[in-house]
Amino acid sequence: MGRAGKIARRTFLIGSAAIAGGVAFGVYKLNQTPENPLVAGDGQSILNPYILIDQTGITIITPRAEMGQGVHTSLAAMVAEELDVRWQDIRVEHGPPGAAYANDVLAKSALLIKDFEPRSNLLLKVEDNLAKAPKVFGMQLTGGSSTTADGYHKMRLAGATARQVLIEAAAKRWGGDPAELQTHDGVVISSSGKTATYTDLAAEAALIEPPQGIPLKPKSEWRYLGTSMPRVDMVSKSTGTAQYGIDTRLDGMLFASIKTNPRLGGPMISFDATAAKSQPGVRKIVDLGNGVAVIATNTWLAMQALELIDFTWGDAPYPAESAEINATIAKAFEARANTTLRNDGDPDEVLSNANPDEIITAEYSAAYLAHAAMEPLNATALFEGDKLTIWSGNQAPVYTRQKVAKAVDLPRDQVTLITPLIGGSFGRRLEFDYSIIAARIAREMPGTAIKTTWSREQDMTHDFYRPAAIARFRGLMSDTGPIVFDGKLATQSAVQSFAGRLAGLPVFGPDRVLVEGMYDQPYGIANYRVAGHIADLDLPVGFWRSVGNSHNGFFHECFMDELATANDLDPLAMRLRLMQGVHAPSAKVLERVAAMAGWTGKSGKNIGRGVAFTYSWGTPTAQIVEVRDTPNGIRITKVWAAVDVGVALDPRNIQAQVMSGIIYGLSAAMMGEITFSDGQVEQTNFPDYDALRMDNSPDIAVEVLENKDRITGIGEPGVPPAMPALANALYDLTGKRARSLPLNQHFDFA
Amino acid sequence: MAFNLTVDGTAYSVDVPADMPLLWVLRDELGLTGTKYGCGISACGACTVQIDGQAVRSCVLPISDLSGEVTTIEGLGTPENLATIQQSWIDHQVAQCGYCQPGQIMQAAAFLAENPFPTNQDIDTAMAGNLCRCGTYPRIRAAIKDAARQMRGG
């Protein structure tokens, strides 16, 4: 018990707030201020949805999930900066489900605009209205590299407003003018030298109506923001004391694991669990409809018993073999485009008048990909008849609670969702499948907490995959650059797949995400068209770090390289010319990365260099990859990257995120591939679906620029350009143009 | 079957099947959750512990084959009393999601005990079995080099 018990009690306190509802103060006033989902326990005071104070100190409640991006630290720094507290005195916890925690920035990203273009006043108004919608629709989502931008104003305001009510509480207690009081490191100080700590004043402060329009500190007075802060989770993550979902421990708990139809979405015809039932430690076999759970006294015993069950599985609702699946995707080109968000000039007209020999055409493809986070999917649930508590590391608390409640026939307010630390996600934990399953299993044994853990094999073969995609290009060059860039894309829609799961019915309409990374790049080309075609496939796909940009960045930037090299143009200089007058910060990251790498357009013997640029999630990112031919095969030796996030709140963390994105992207480009046979995913564990390791990962240099006029995120933008930069470097090294991913099908890597 | 084992200096007795891997004895029987499940087939290194100072993948070691004292990440050092390598991990702000880091640290600590003067190549070879999906390798490398310097006393 010990540590785990303490954590459980603490998190339950916050969780119980979600059940009770209640009185508190909204700091972030909109037309309709959402109810504060926190409720004070004994000795606790809640100053707003983000700040809880008790005798042990100050807890900052984050609206977004910590899954490696460092958002616990960044969001806490925003609050701490304005609240005026010592860094070592704060704790950070995930917030419960609550409309107050909706993600405004993510909602704005639904607009069908090119993000790099200046926004008109009308558009800004539309964005403001959109930002009100997520509170209604439960968009408490961690994704879209939006956490920092979304929190930047509201978390600082939460800190500043809380500080003000603490000052007013002291003024009331002492009598006198609040304007005469100051704060320092969690203490209110009067001009005569009287002091009171925030913890001491909290109960009185919680009774004061928070004032509006508290000014925020100017940048020049920042002491935490703009500085590389020690991460709040670093000590626990270096000592094995960090509590992930999979580490949840409760008194008398049991452990479960599952097997569901490996043909995704297919039914279970029958199963025979006779042998499994008599295995040591097995307590119960649960029929899940499309699979079976074993509840046992130990996770491994549950997993072993599952191996003894004979299953008869039904067919998948999609073609059984990868070749047929890919052919179905290609068939999407025959139908009308679903989404055409760039249509400059008239590519058809210009190409019909061109010399056919001068038209450059190419077809590219990218494979399905798994998320493969290090922490396998899991959730722990305790069903107690009229209520359920679930511990689930997730990126979508409102949706998760809603889906879990429905699955176990309880009202939403009878479900308490606690979000522990997340051991990687990359988009996988936006889904609610694993939470639903854990809740359904727990319902089978009321009163007993049950932790359901997926084997790595179950996790890898039951993902919501990054969809495979095909791009077809036509291009025409002048002496200085492209005059026609005509791209068509065919792929499944991750947005529609997810929205269908959320709504429980099919979703249609244009899909910006389908063509992101292709239509929204800051290049000026006279005849520039990007069209997206949706493949009709009932194969579960979802959001994979950088989403549509993850394949479109590869397609767009490789073809750009083809156009340049076909005319002996320097691919970096050509891009810079295309960016002139379009988006200066983008041109600057490209110039910066060229300087970092000492780009000359020429690489030495046995060395290849490739450049790529992707504007994604509002953050222009340029990368140069260097590869070397060695006796053991080709090595990726060096990557240089320059990014522009507008305002760099935590430079070291930004660099870490970019490095992370590069390694994630290079891993996928080099060796990432999910294939299907007999309707089943063929890759089951890391030997089949590996990633870069210490011995084949490159040295990486990252520089962070601040030339943009607004703050944007960094969790994903490092991913997309890594893939084309690698492919372009390999072309430079070998003269061979690889047009499909993964690249280990074309090259031998060391 | 009953098995006796010593973990982080504490003696335990567990009644489990002989083929249960040490990982699941630690996590589910003893509640020592610092050691992580990642793949179950010794392909990712998240479950790495030390047995008499040697780095071992606990997910494939049957409890009946265990001989020697087990050290887990919780036994290597604590937040109040950090091991040198843990301090170095913190100094270099290595972790992101952090899930693989107990395994990385246990592997690195065992490696440095045997090789106090590691080259880059030595580090790469020793650490190649430990997967990190967040891509923290550049900082792991730096933290290991720094810890090696400190453990040598300079």
Side-chain angles (χ1 to χ4, degrees):
Chain A
M1 199 48 204
R3 179 185 78 228
K6 241 183 282 165
I7 294 281
R9 274 199 303 282
R10 248 173 69 199
T11 43
F12 189 75
L13 259 171
I14 290 166
S16 65
I19 295 178
V23 186
F25 306 97
V27 63
Y28 196 60
K29 297 267 185 194
L30 284 167
N31 290 355
Q32 194 182 13
T33 305
E35 183 178 88
N36 187 337
L38 303 179
V39 163
D42 276 352
Q44 291 183 326
S45 302
I46 293 161
L47 299 191
N48 56 54
Y50 308 107
I51 300 169
L52 184 152
I53 299 180
D54 61 17
Q55 285 309 309
T56 66
I58 292 157
T59 303
I60 293 169
I61 310 294
T62 69
R64 304 287 166 260
E66 177 59 70
M67 45 196 187
Q69 342 83 300
V71 299
H72 266 188
T73 303
S74 301
L75 294 172
M78 293 174 197
V79 174
E81 181 70 66
E82 295 288 345
L83 185 58
D84 192 8
V85 286
R86 295 196 309 172
W87 187 242
Q88 60 268 38
D89 290 344
I90 56 159
R91 282 196 307 262
V92 186
E93 303 264 6
H94 286 135
Y101 299 127
N103 187 332
D104 310 339
V105 166
L106 198 62
K108 292 179 188 174
S109 74
L111 283 173
L112 305 177
I113 59 168
K114 299 181 197 83
D115 188 81
F116 64 84
E117 291 180 340
R119 282 151 167 78
S120 66
N121 284 337
L122 175 65
L123 184 59
L124 289 170
K125 274 184 196 147
V126 172
E127 283 195 332
D128 276 351
N129 281 328
L130 268 177
K132 288 164 190 163
K135 293 179 173 55
V136 180
F137 294 115
M139 286 183 65
Q140 184 183 358
L141 301 174
T142 306
S145 298
S146 61
T147 298
T148 303
D150 179 66
Y152 185 52
H153 185 72
K154 62 177 91 161
M155 298 303 280
R156 286 186 298 151
L157 191 57
T161 310
R163 176 175 169 273
Q164 186 59 33
V165 292
L166 288 158
I167 287 174
E168 289 180 16
K172 238 182 207 171
R173 186 191 284 185
W174 296 330
D177 185 356
E180 307 274 296
L181 303 180
Q182 293 181 317
T183 62
H184 180 68
D185 284 347
V187 178
V188 182
I189 306 163
S190 77
S191 49
S192 66
K194 268 189 292 206
T195 62
T197 62
Y198 288 0
T199 47
D200 182 34
L201 289 165
E204 290 149 70
L207 301 173
I208 296 171
E209 177 70 19
Q212 297 287 295
I214 298 296
L216 301 176
K217 279 187 189 174
K219 262 188 189 183
S220 55
E221 290 176 20
W222 282 352
R223 63 167 168 162
Y224 297 144
L225 299 178
T227 305
S228 296
M229 298 300 292
R231 281 179 63 139
V232 295
D233 50 1
M234 195 55 68
V235 172
S236 70
K237 286 178 174 179
S238 305
T239 51
T241 54
Q243 297 277 312
Y244 301 88
I246 204 167
D247 302 328
T248 305
R249 298 283 299 180
L250 296 158
D251 286 341
M253 76 187 305
L254 292 174
F255 305 87
S257 194
I258 62 162
K259 262 197 179 184
T260 57
N261 194 338
R263 300 191 190 106
L264 305 168
M268 178 170 67
I269 310 288
S270 65
F271 71 97
D272 178 356
T274 314
K277 269 182 198 153
S278 60
Q279 287 303 296
V282 170
R283 292 294 174 85
K284 192 160 189 175
I285 310 283
V286 181
D287 182 349
L288 295 169
N290 68 335
V292 167
V294 172
I295 303 172
T297 55
N298 183 297
T299 307
W300 184 78
L301 293 174
M303 289 176 180
Q304 292 301 107
L306 281 167
E307 295 301 315
L308 298 175
I309 299 178
D310 278 329
F311 292 99
T312 308
W313 302 119
D315 289 338
Y318 49 83
E321 304 297 323
S322 273
E324 302 166 275
I325 291 169
N326 294 337
T328 308
I329 295 171
K331 216 169 153 47
F333 285 121
E334 294 168 17
R336 275 191 58 201
N338 163 278
T339 313
T340 305
L341 293 176
R342 186 141 202 169
N343 203 354
D344 300 344
D346 192 340
D348 290 331
E349 173 71 14
V350 178
L351 290 174
S352 68
N353 294 326
N355 176 353
D357 293 342
E358 292 182 358
I359 298 173
I360 300 165
T361 63
E363 177 168 311
Y364 282 82
S365 65
Y368 286 94
L369 294 171
H371 296 84
M374 288 305 300
E375 181 190 5
L377 291 173
N378 66 85
T380 301
L382 171 62
F383 179 78
E384 296 171 285
D386 58 352
K387 61 177 181 170
L388 180 124
T389 308
I390 182 161
W391 291 256
S392 169
N394 76 94
Q395 299 173 247
V398 171
Y399 297 159
T400 297
R401 181 173 63 167
Q402 179 183 323
K403 288 287 181 179
V404 162
K406 189 160 181 244
V408 296
D409 299 319
L410 284 175
R412 272 174 222 175
D413 58 6
Q414 289 301 97
V415 173
T416 303
L417 168 62
I418 293 154
T419 304
L421 284 174
I422 299 175
S425 185
F426 315 114
R428 178 63 179 87
R429 287 173 163 97
L430 279 164
E431 307 285 341
F432 19 78
D433 55 326
Y434 58 100
S435 301
I436 291 173
I437 286 173
R440 288 177 57 201
I441 292 169
R443 187 171 58 171
E444 298 296 317
M445 292 187 92
T448 301
I450 300 173
K451 173 158 63 188
T452 300
T453 304
W454 297 31
S455 66
R456 173 58 61 191
E457 290 79 7
Q458 173 76 17
D459 181 303
M460 194 167 281
T461 57
H462 294 78
D463 204 342
F464 295 89
Y465 299 94
R466 197 291 301 273
I470 304 169
R472 290 178 180 166
F473 290 108
R474 297 187 299 168
L476 188 67
M477 291 290 287
S478 73
D479 290 343
T480 58
I483 49 174
V484 175
F485 189 109
D486 185 22
K488 289 198 289 187
L489 175 83
T491 185
Q492 288 183 259
S493 167
V495 169
Q496 293 183 6
S497 186
F498 176 80
R501 289 190 286 280
L502 187 61
L505 40 95
V507 176
F508 304 99
D511 178 4
R512 190 193 66 77
V513 168
L514 200 67
V515 286
E516 67 184 2
M518 284 236 278
Y519 86 93
D520 50 358
Q521 300 305 297
Y523 296 120
I525 299 172
N527 303 281
Y528 196 178
R529 179 168 62 189
V530 175
H533 300 253
I534 294 185
D536 184 16
L537 264 171
D538 192 5
L539 194 162
V541 292
F543 304 113
W544 187 95
R545 194 175 187 180
S546 81
V547 199
N549 298 288
S550 69
H551 43 71
N552 291 339
F554 169 71
F555 298 151
H556 191 281
E557 288 299 282
C558 283
F559 190 63
M560 199 64 106
D561 207 66
E562 285 205 58
L563 294 176
T565 52
N567 279 42
D568 291 324
L569 296 176
D570 181 300
L572 197 152
M574 186 185 88
R575 282 180 175 82
L576 272 177
R577 269 197 302 278
L578 296 175
M579 284 176 183
Q580 292 311 315
V582 180
H583 191 240
S586 291
K588 282 185 178 147
V589 298
L590 205 45
E591 284 166 354
R592 188 67 220 139
V593 84
M596 288 167 70
W599 177 272
T600 59
K602 303 208 172 15
S603 40
K605 192 170 181 296
N606 294 328
I607 294 175
R609 282 182 165 196
V611 63
F613 167 93
T614 307
Y615 184 106
S616 68
W617 313 106
T619 300
T621 304
Q623 293 176 18
I624 290 171
V625 167
E626 182 177 279
V627 294
R628 280 174 193 257
D629 211 0
T630 76
N632 301 322
I634 297 170
R635 289 188 66 86
I636 308 171
T637 47
K638 187 88 194 171
V639 181
W640 297 267
V643 303
D644 191 332
V645 294
V647 183
L649 293 183
D650 190 322
R652 180 174 49 206
N653 190 50
I654 293 168
Q655 290 178 331
Q657 289 305 306
V658 175
M659 289 183 189
S660 171
I662 288 168
I663 289 175
Y664 202 74
L666 291 176
S667 296
M670 220 168 119
M671 62 189 102
E673 182 180 33
I674 291 293
T675 56
F676 293 82
S677 183
D678 189 26
Q680 308 181 25
V681 170
E682 294 185 286
Q683 293 72 26
T684 61
N685 205 321
F686 291 124
D688 307 323
Y689 189 86
D690 209 346
L692 287 182
R693 306 273 182 150
M694 178 82 87
D695 60 339
N696 57 0
S697 67
D699 288 333
I700 303 172
V702 180
E703 289 195 21
V704 184
L705 308 185
E706 298 178 285
N707 296 312
K708 285 198 335 255
D709 59 0
R710 68 195 168 92
I711 188 167
T712 53
I714 201 61
E716 294 162 280
V719 178
M723 307 192 211
L726 173 60
N728 295 339
L730 290 164
Y731 174 79
D732 185 49
L733 178 72
T734 66
K736 183 172 161 185
R737 179 67 66 183
R739 296 192 182 87
S740 67
L741 295 180
L743 295 164
N744 63 1
Q745 293 173 341
H746 309 280
F747 303 99
D748 290 325
F749 289 100
Chain B
M1 283 179 71
F3 295 92
N4 297 317
L5 67 164
T6 303
V7 184
D8 300 331
T10 302
Y12 296 92
S13 180
V14 293
D15 185 10
V16 295
D19 54 350
M20 181 178 287
L22 173 62
L23 170 68
W24 296 107
V25 173
L26 294 173
R27 286 187 58 81
D28 288 2
E29 303 295 325
L30 304 182
L32 295 171
T33 54
T35 305
K36 302 303 186 206
Y37 167 59
C39 69
I41 56 169
S42 74
C44 77
C47 67
T48 304
V49 298
Q50 291 175 11
I51 298 175
D52 291 342
Q54 300 286 313
V56 173
R57 307 292 188 239
S58 66
C59 74
V60 291
L61 180 76
I63 187 69
S64 57
D65 287 359
L66 172 64
S67 108
E69 293 201 6
V70 180
T71 306
T72 73
I73 184 74
E74 290 106 324
L76 191 71
T78 62
E80 296 75 30
N81 187 18
L82 295 162
T84 304
I85 187 112
Q86 289 169 315
Q87 183 63 56
S88 190
W89 241 247
I90 293 163
D91 292 343
H92 290 269
Q93 294 283 297
V94 170
Q96 286 182 206
C97 94
Y99 192 80
C100 73
Q101 300 300 346
Q104 304 273 5
I105 290 169
M106 295 311 287
Q107 178 75 23
F111 159 66
L112 285 181
E114 281 190 0
N115 184 347
F117 296 92
T119 64
N120 286 347
Q121 178 77 45
D122 293 341
I123 295 173
D124 281 0
T125 306
M127 301 304 294
N130 288 73
L131 182 63
C132 172
R133 287 289 280 156
C134 296
T136 61
Y137 305 125
R139 293 188 304 284
I140 292 178
R141 225 181 247 144
I144 291 176
K145 283 189 202 173
D146 205 10
R149 264 194 299 276
Q150 291 180 41
M151 288 158 89
R152 292 196 303 262

